Amino acid sequence: MNHRLFRSALAAFALLLSLTQMATPAQASSAAQTKSDATTLDRYVGEYRYQNEPDVTLSFFRDGSQLAVESARMAHTPLKASAPDTFTPENSGTHFVFQSDANGQVTGVKRIVDKDEALAPRISSQPQHNHFRTYDRKEFMIPMRDGVKLHAVVLRPLDTNEPLPLLMQRTPYGVDESTSDSINARYPELAQSGYIFVMEDIRGRYGSEGQFFMNRPIVDHHDPGSSNPDNIDETTDAYDTAAWLVKNIPSNNGRIGVMGISYPGFLAIESGIDPNPAIKAISPQAPMTNLWMGDDFFHNGAWRQSYGYDYAIGLETSKENAFSKINEDAYDFFLSAGSLAGDIKKAGVGVLPTWQGFLDHPSYDHYWQIRAVEAHLTQVNVPTLEVGGWWDQEDMWGPQAEYAALKPHDKNGEVFIVLGPWNHGQWARTTRSLGDVNFGAATGDQFRAQIEAPFFAHYLKDEGHFDLKDTASFQTGTDHWMRYSHWPPTAGVTDRNLYLDADGSLSFTQPAGDATAFTTYVSDPANPVPYRKRPIEATYAPTGSGWYTWLVQDQRFLGDRKDIATWRTPVLDHPVTITGDIVADLFASTSGTDSDWIVKLIDVYPDDPSLGKMSGAELMIVDEIFRGRYRQSYENPEAIPANTPEEYKFSLHGADHAFLKGHRIMVQVQSTWFPLYDRNPQTFVPSIMTAAPSDYKAATQHVYGSAAHPSHLILPIAGPAASEN
């Protein structure tokens, strides 16, 4: 896998790299090749199963004088011997080191990538072929209504001439590496079923003509002037691409499905707005939907500093991916830079278009409103399968927001949502785990085989059995799939207030204490709370990054910081299950005139050695930030009256989680989360994007827990515990 495809995969989180852990050329070793005879190679032939990923096996074959490896989701890959028992794919830093017992019998193979090791014991002497289906590959330049041509790769299975539906993904991340092998590895269930795959570079990216605009606004298609060829957007480009494909690709059945993860998920939902009649099914997966309200760049007005910095460089300094690396702890990098204005100066690449948007539009004004997708979802034009992850570090808000916008208009029961125990795009992988949390099954494989593939087969081929009625949700804690008639479900669910008492306890009983009772801490922008363990790598660091798993990182790494307020329940004597949207309702004051409020709902595991790394762990279930200046209006920020209790009510979003017997429920509140979010100066300034160093001041924060000011979380509690105290 070459470096450019690796970069594309990082952005879309849907690559073979995540299955095999193979390194990029930048990590490749230059070990000299060692010759091995056939007898030596034959010792290693067989099938091996990973201990940490029992759903993934590797098969090693002898190809003449070479060894080769493949798996169900990895193409047949020749290996070079760098030692008698060590083999390496060409242009890769991965090493496969075979293990033997005292009698010389091969017992397993260890995959080594940098400091990461994974052991796969041998389970058979008979290797298994992956049975990839062979696809023919062609490239086209597809004309749009304004004369711009977009580059597309079209892949069709060679073993049939029957009319097939087209399955399209439009992307800013490059399609040159789309091949028969990559299609089989990335979409194993769909590739076996048989589609004509279409991978298209959006305008201004990679092989496509035109100019790229991040999150291009939707034009008014109903305006008489919209027929002007210059009135183009991603919906019109999807429309024109579909029209060309149906007319020009031989032996298609006239039906098109559109899918994609992240930015391609945004492009998938756009294809369903005033769609071409040939588009019959779409699946927006982790779609960026509203970049100011709750997706990549802002959450409730708080700017995602490290991500907004990294992502703009990656997409706007080159026509191809150009994600940069930070040569120091990102915490130190952004702390020394200061505000966005300081970031720009330190980057030395000029003011990129998206950065200019941040500078000019820090609040939710027209600039962001016209880029928000959910306002355009006023009717269901095409069956839609939304997909999201509970621990999506980039676009957890998007799929739930799109489902919520579409569902009231769903007269025919054609809007569906799947929510699973995943980070950004992890359902494309074969894995049982996220970080240290093991869910007991390869949930992504289950989703693809049981929901995604049947969805497209039903609507594009009139085949198979698609039985999802509305919502599929993986309930964490109990670790099994649930089906609901709507999200969030209401049957058997009761909203209950979990109060943050001034004594540090959590209770379902409203406090009756002194009106001035509170919990206090001092928030200092000079020493902000890190959002993950340090050192913090660049978002898409080529040698690996904690970015992908920080939402499930054990919160004990924060130790006993004094700038975090904490509340806990006693040890639970029965399970407490929350299913639906969780809301924080804080009554708080600050000695400053602006403040951020971060709320984290945490499952505290018991100290139990049988739980392995999860013994005593503090696992975030939901979490969110709210920038205090927007408590009255997202469009018009206002200073906070100093030392005056104010109410801050905001969603922590959805969850389906059981706090098990023996666990504790914990809530934490803090005012910095760095450098995920830029630091609030805690003094009101016209724009935090250009705040000066002298603007940043420490502030004393009070979170009230009294009868008059009862800070609490609103929990949607399911089952018997809904009515228990």
Side-chain angles (χ1 to χ4, degrees):
M1 183 169 295
N2 72 26
H3 196 63
R4 183 168 63 186
L5 183 57
F6 175 66
R7 290 301 194 185
S8 301
L10 287 175
F13 286 91
L15 299 153
L16 181 57
L17 178 69
S18 61
L19 305 173
T20 63
Q21 298 286 315
M22 288 191 177
T24 66
Q27 301 166 286
S29 74
S30 57
Q33 186 172 358
T34 299
K35 295 198 179 280
S36 300
D37 58 39
T39 301
T40 299
L41 295 178
D42 285 341
R43 293 179 61 237
Y44 305 131
V45 170
E47 187 178 14
Y48 300 73
R49 185 187 305 279
Y50 281 121
Q51 283 184 331
N52 63 336
E53 292 290 0
D55 304 287
V56 180
T57 62
L58 297 175
S59 285
F60 290 87
F61 300 82
R62 180 167 67 84
D63 290 348
S65 61
Q66 274 190 301
L67 206 62
V69 62
E70 66 181 64
S71 73
R73 302 189 66 184
M74 181 170 66
H76 194 81
T77 304
L79 302 173
K80 292 183 177 181
S82 54
D85 60 354
T86 302
F87 298 82
T88 303
E90 188 173 1
N91 294 325
S92 172
T94 298
H95 301 282
F96 293 106
V97 182
F98 288 91
Q99 314 287 300
S100 300
D101 62 17
N103 297 319
Q105 295 296 314
V106 175
T107 58
V109 64
K110 184 181 291 185
R111 185 204 65 220
I112 302 174
V113 185
D114 294 328
K115 297 179 181 180
D116 177 55
E117 296 185 1
L119 180 63
R122 190 178 192 177
I123 60 173
S124 172
S125 61
Q126 300 299 316
Q128 302 297 314
H129 283 290
N130 55 30
H131 303 296
F132 277 10
R133 196 169 184 177
T134 304
Y135 280 72
D136 174 62
R137 183 184 189 279
K138 290 184 170 59
E139 296 188 50
F140 300 94
M141 294 298 291
I142 301 176
M144 300 294 104
R145 62 190 63 186
D146 62 344
V148 167
K149 294 182 179 179
L150 305 186
H151 171 244
V153 173
V154 177
L155 296 117
R156 180 192 173 86
L158 283 171
D159 56 4
T160 179
N161 291 317
E162 67 174 317
L164 295 174
L166 299 123
L167 197 54
M168 178 168 69
Q169 177 173 284
R170 307 184 64 245
T171 178
Y173 301 124
V175 302
D176 286 348
E177 304 302 330
S178 296
T179 64
S180 181
D181 282 344
S182 73
I183 290 295
N184 278 279
R186 168 61 183 87
Y187 309 101
E189 297 82 8
L190 297 171
Q192 287 299 312
S193 176
Y195 291 88
I196 303 170
F197 287 89
V198 180
M199 306 297 182
E200 182 179 64
D201 294 323
I202 62 173
R203 63 173 62 217
R205 295 291 293 167
Y206 283 84
S208 288
E209 300 172 353
Q211 186 174 2
F212 171 70
F213 287 102
M214 184 90 73
N215 192 215
R216 185 186 290 269
I218 299 173
V219 301
D220 184 355
H221 303 152
H222 306 289
D223 187 307
S226 65
S227 59
N228 186 326
D230 293 333
N231 288 339
I232 53 90
D233 59 19
E234 300 298 355
T235 74
T236 63
D237 282 355
Y239 189 105
D240 295 349
T241 299
W244 188 93
L245 291 170
V246 170
K247 182 178 180 181
N248 291 279
I249 300 301
S251 298
N252 74 80
N253 73 354
R255 301 188 201 181
I256 299 176
V258 187
M259 64 186 300
I261 298 172
S262 193
Y263 204 122
F266 157 72
L267 299 167
I269 192 67
E270 298 262 304
S271 71
I273 299 171
D274 295 329
N276 186 289
I279 294 176
K280 301 299 184 183
I282 63 173
S283 184
Q285 302 181 3
M288 59 186 218
T289 300
N290 187 318
L291 294 178
W292 195 93
M293 200 63 69
D295 285 324
D296 303 75
F297 293 148
F298 292 83
H299 280 212
N300 294 317
W303 180 53
R304 308 234 297 175
Q305 185 171 17
S306 54
Y307 191 79
Y309 174 90
D310 288 349
Y311 196 74
I313 287 178
L315 264 68
E316 294 183 338
T317 58
S318 170
K319 196 175 180 181
E320 300 185 359
N321 294 338
F323 294 101
S324 64
K325 110 174 155 172
I326 296 173
N327 294 316
E328 60 181 298
D329 185 342
Y331 185 100
D332 293 330
F333 178 91
F334 289 106
L335 191 62
S336 63
S339 63
L340 171 60
D343 296 344
I344 293 171
K345 183 177 180 180
K346 198 165 184 176
V349 295
V351 183
L352 301 175
T354 293
W355 290 348
Q356 191 67 58
F358 297 152
L359 289 169
D360 295 343
H361 308 278
S363 299
Y364 192 55
D365 61 10
H366 183 68
Y367 177 88
W368 296 110
Q369 292 168 13
I370 62 172
R371 285 165 169 76
V373 175
E374 70 271 21
H376 298 273
L377 305 181
T378 57
Q379 59 185 20
V380 179
N381 298 310
V382 60
T384 303
L385 176 65
E386 296 279 353
V387 183
W390 295 129
W391 288 284
D392 187 330
Q393 74 278 10
E394 294 175 31
D395 296 295
M396 187 273 284
W397 189 87
Q400 296 182 52
E402 290 183 357
Y403 169 89
L406 281 171
K407 200 61 190 176
H409 312 289
D410 185 20
K411 298 177 182 178
N412 299 317
E414 294 181 335
V415 175
F416 312 95
I417 188 167
V418 179
L419 298 165
W422 306 308
N423 66 4
H424 192 60
Q426 191 184 8
W427 48 92
R429 294 179 55 193
T430 297
T431 179
R432 297 181 174 209
S433 302
L434 177 58
D436 292 334
V437 189
N438 189 305
F439 302 105
T443 56
D445 289 9
Q446 292 173 337
F447 155 70
R448 295 192 313 276
Q450 299 170 21
I451 298 176
E452 181 183 67
F455 171 76
F456 283 116
H458 177 70
Y459 287 108
L460 301 182
K461 297 184 176 185
D462 298 323
E463 292 179 356
H465 179 61
F466 179 63
D467 63 356
L468 182 61
K469 302 304 180 186
D470 188 281
T471 300
S473 166
F474 189 86
Q475 186 176 93
T476 54
T478 60
D479 291 345
H480 64 271
W481 285 100
M482 305 289 288
R483 298 285 180 109
Y484 302 115
S485 60
H486 191 272
W487 182 261
T490 55
V493 177
T494 302
D495 284 345
R496 300 198 61 206
N497 293 343
L498 183 65
Y499 294 97
L500 283 58
D501 291 346
D503 64 1
S505 64
L506 288 174
S507 170
F508 289 107
T509 301
Q510 184 168 346
D514 189 330
T516 61
F518 56 76
T519 301
T520 187
Y521 61 93
V522 175
S523 173
D524 186 357
N527 181 28
V529 178
Y531 80 99
R532 72 183 204 234
K533 291 180 183 178
R534 299 179 61 186
I536 298 173
E537 312 89 351
T539 305
Y540 300 125
T543 55
S545 171
W547 171 249
Y548 312 119
T549 57
W550 76 266
L551 278 169
V552 295
Q553 190 170 98
D554 187 346
Q555 294 300 289
R556 288 180 295 181
F557 83 92
L558 293 170
D560 296 321
R561 287 188 65 113
K562 304 304 181 184
D563 49 0
I564 302 174
T566 301
W567 296 261
R568 297 178 181 87
T569 66
V571 173
L572 298 176
D573 60 9
H574 63 269
V576 175
T577 301
I578 53 173
T579 302
D581 292 325
I582 294 91
V583 175
D585 194 351
L586 291 188
F587 292 86
S589 67
T590 176
S591 64
T593 51
D594 198 1
S595 180
D596 289 346
W597 303 102
I598 294 123
V599 178
K600 304 184 295 188
L601 177 64
I602 295 170
D603 186 341
V604 181
Y605 282 62
D607 290 316
D608 181 350
S610 70
L611 297 175
K613 292 182 179 179
M614 295 304 293
S615 177
E618 298 173 357
L619 174 66
M620 287 194 298
I621 304 304
V622 290
D623 45 84
E624 191 52 285
I625 188 171
F626 188 91
R627 183 143 284 178
R629 61 173 48 210
Y630 297 112
R631 69 200 182 284
Q632 301 294 339
S633 166
Y634 287 129
E635 294 87 354
N636 301 299
E638 296 179 3
I640 299 172
N643 299 311
T644 303
E646 295 274 313
E647 184 176 14
Y648 302 91
K649 190 173 184 178
F650 54 99
S651 175
L652 305 183
H653 313 298
D656 196 354
H657 178 76
F659 295 87
L660 300 179
K661 180 180 178 180
H663 291 225
R664 292 175 184 259
I665 301 173
M666 185 164 78
V667 173
Q668 291 187 327
V669 175
Q670 60 199 60
S671 294
T672 54
W673 222 8
F674 187 75
L676 176 65
Y677 293 98
D678 63 336
R679 296 166 302 144
N680 192 314
Q682 301 181 160
T683 55
F684 186 83
V685 294
S687 174
I688 295 176
M689 299 294 179
T690 55
S694 60
D695 294 326
Y696 294 87
K697 304 285 177 61
T700 300
Q701 316 288 70
H702 291 170
V703 178
Y704 293 86
S706 65
H709 300 110
S711 295
H712 60 278
L713 268 58
I714 304 172
L715 301 183
I717 297 183
S723 59
E724 297 175 8
N725 286 326

